[in-house]
Amino acid sequence: AMSTTAPPSPAAHYLTLEDFLTDFAIPRSTFTRWRRLGRPVPAFRRLPNGELRTTRADVDAWFASLPAEVAS
């Protein structure tokens, strides 16, 4: 039988700021401080309704750009 599962919504490729912060357990205040200090953060785009979105690809690129360290 053919699967009737719907294809993933295009919206599934986008994350809200809250999604990103939750995924990485980063407090909003820390994210705000990083931006103020010019630390690297994923690119977010503002929607016409004022909400912010980033792509999983942007988050992956941001994460890959961070220096790798050996856990002590």
Side-chain angles (χ1 to χ4, degrees):
M2 294 284 293
S3 171
T4 57
T5 304
S9 161
H13 297 289
Y14 299 97
L15 298 169
T16 65
L17 178 56
E18 288 70 29
D19 292 336
F20 167 74
L21 296 175
T22 299
D23 286 353
F24 287 90
I26 299 169
R28 179 77 179 252
S29 58
T30 298
F31 181 83
T32 301
R33 187 173 71 249
W34 287 354
R35 288 184 64 180
R36 191 173 64 245
L37 294 173
R39 299 254 176 93
V41 295
F44 279 84
R45 290 154 187 88
R46 191 168 299 281
L47 301 179
N49 66 2
E51 293 182 13
L52 296 172
R53 293 290 186 281
T54 190
T55 64
R56 293 190 185 279
D58 281 341
V59 172
D60 290 344
W62 165 79
F63 188 77
S65 77
L66 299 175
E69 297 182 15
V70 177
S72 54

